[in-house]
């Protein structure tokens, strides 16, 4: 199993959208996919209508991190073939404080390594310790995808995220995950401010950006109102094609 962590220390940059679209595309192509919602805001969970059920049955990423149950007991199958989901709940916030073991998620995924081809983790923008768990899970043979929106805040969020992948792995003397930046919300025509943002990114991260980008499109939010990734909501649309290209590129990166 290979792990793809989707993280940025900034909200609203397309993390969840990227997580659910990649999950949908990979599963449709026959890969066995486990999507883990590691954000207490539980947006990815809502795509599969699993918030109440996960909470009622005690089958969420809280139990996964706490180590009280394994992936096999916790994952829900979804309507999409080959796609299982471990939902999140708001109580996950407390885990960020309580959790002392940064490798809990990695160990839980190691135990399920034969059951899935890909694990996709949708991270919270603010809960660092949860993100550390995701980075360590992705460290060996995985990748951290950092979606970014080109605006004046782009460098702060990106730099903090990249720095975090480095600091936790150095602290524990573990291998550092690869990371790659994904440009999201790319407009048909860039404004001057967006061009400046792109230049700054190119200067600091010339070799760590996906060549695929995700264009801004109302189709993405139209799909989200139906809780459908745009890849299945409107497969012929521009953002759906963008995500299909990204999925190819991610697979290539994973080798
Ligand atoms: N490429 C896009 N074009 C237009 N809207 C988008 C795009 N990607 C995401 N969105 C919308 O922007 C909002 C934030 O996206 P989301 O993936 O939830 O961000 P994050 O998980 O980083 O907070 C959502 O309402 C989503 O539907
Ligand atoms: Mg999100």
């Amino acid at each position: 199993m290979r792990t793809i962590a989707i993280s940025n220390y900034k909200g609203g940059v397309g993390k969840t959208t990227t997580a659910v679209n990649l999950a949908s595309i990979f599963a449709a192509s026959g890969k066995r996919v486990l999507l883990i919602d590691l954000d207490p805001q539980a947006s990815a969970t809502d795509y599969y209508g699993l918030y109440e059920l996960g909470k009622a049955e005690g089958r969420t990423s809280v139990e996964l991190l706490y180590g009280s149950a394994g992936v096999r007991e916790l994952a829900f199958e979804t309507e999409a073939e080959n796609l299982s989901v471990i939902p999140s709940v708001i109580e996950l916030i407390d885990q960020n404080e309580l959790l002392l073991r940064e490798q809990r998620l990695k160990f839980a995924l190691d135990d399920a390594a034969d059951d899935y081809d890909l694990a996709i983790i949708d991270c919270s923008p603010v809960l660092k310790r949860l993100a550390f768990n995701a980075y360590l899970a992705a460290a060996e043979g995985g990748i951290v995808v950092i979606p970014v929106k080109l605006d004046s805040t782009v460098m702060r969020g990106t730099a903090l995220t990249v720095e975090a992948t480095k600091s936790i792995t150095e602290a524990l003397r573990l291998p550092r995950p690869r990371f790659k930046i994904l440009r999201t919300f790319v407009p048909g025509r860039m404004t001057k401010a967006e061009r400046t943002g792109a230049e700054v990114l190119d200067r600091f991260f010339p070799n760590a950006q996906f060549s695929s980008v995700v264009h801004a499109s109302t189709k993405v939010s139209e799909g989200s109102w139906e809780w459908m990734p745009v890849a299945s909501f409107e497969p012929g649309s521009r953002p759906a094609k963008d995500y299909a290209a990204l999925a190819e590129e991610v697979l290539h990166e994973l080798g």
Side-chain angles (χ1 to χ4, degrees), residues 139-214:
E140 280 165 54
I143 191 165
V144 179
V145 175
I146 306 177
V148 304
K149 197 171 168 177
L150 290 179
D151 62 16
S152 55
T153 68
V154 64
M155 272 321 288
R156 169 81 62 228
T158 311
L160 284 176
T161 313
V162 168
E163 197 47 45
T165 65
K166 199 168 148 189
S167 67
I168 182 61
T169 48
E170 281 180 359
L172 294 179
R173 298 190 182 179
L174 287 166
R176 187 180 175 189
R178 265 179 303 163
F179 69 88
K180 220 153 187 188
I181 292 163
L182 169 68
R183 294 186 192 187
T184 57
F185 293 88
V186 174
R189 183 175 299 169
M190 290 224 263
T191 62
K192 190 161 176 280
E194 284 155 347
R195 275 200 302 276
T196 308
E199 281 165 19
V200 174
L201 265 190
D202 286 343
R203 192 166 347 122
F204 284 92
F205 302 105
N207 304 314
Q209 297 179 56
F210 287 105
S211 55
S212 321
V213 302
V214 181

Side-chain angles (χ1 to χ4, degrees), residues 68-149:
S68 54
V71 168
R72 212 166 283 168
E73 290 87 25
L74 298 177
F76 286 91
E77 287 185 6
T78 67
E79 280 173 21
E81 209 177 333
N82 302 317
L83 175 57
S84 299
V85 175
I86 298 183
S88 167
V89 275
I90 191 71
E91 286 79 11
L92 186 60
I93 290 179
D94 306 329
Q95 282 301 310
N96 191 59
E97 299 306 318
L98 297 174
L99 193 79
L100 295 174
R101 301 176 188 86
E102 278 93 357
Q103 293 193 79
R104 182 61 93 179
L105 182 59
K106 176 189 162 22
F107 295 153
L109 290 179
D110 283 350
D111 289 342
D114 294 335
D115 298 344
Y116 298 95
D117 301 307
L118 294 168
I120 298 176
I121 308 170
D122 186 20
C123 294
S124 152
V126 289
L127 301 176
K128 245 183 148 172
R129 199 168 270 167
L130 295 181
F132 285 170
N133 259 272
Y135 303 154
L136 293 173
E140 280 165 54
I143 191 165
V144 179
V145 175
I146 306 177
V148 304
K149 197 171 168 177

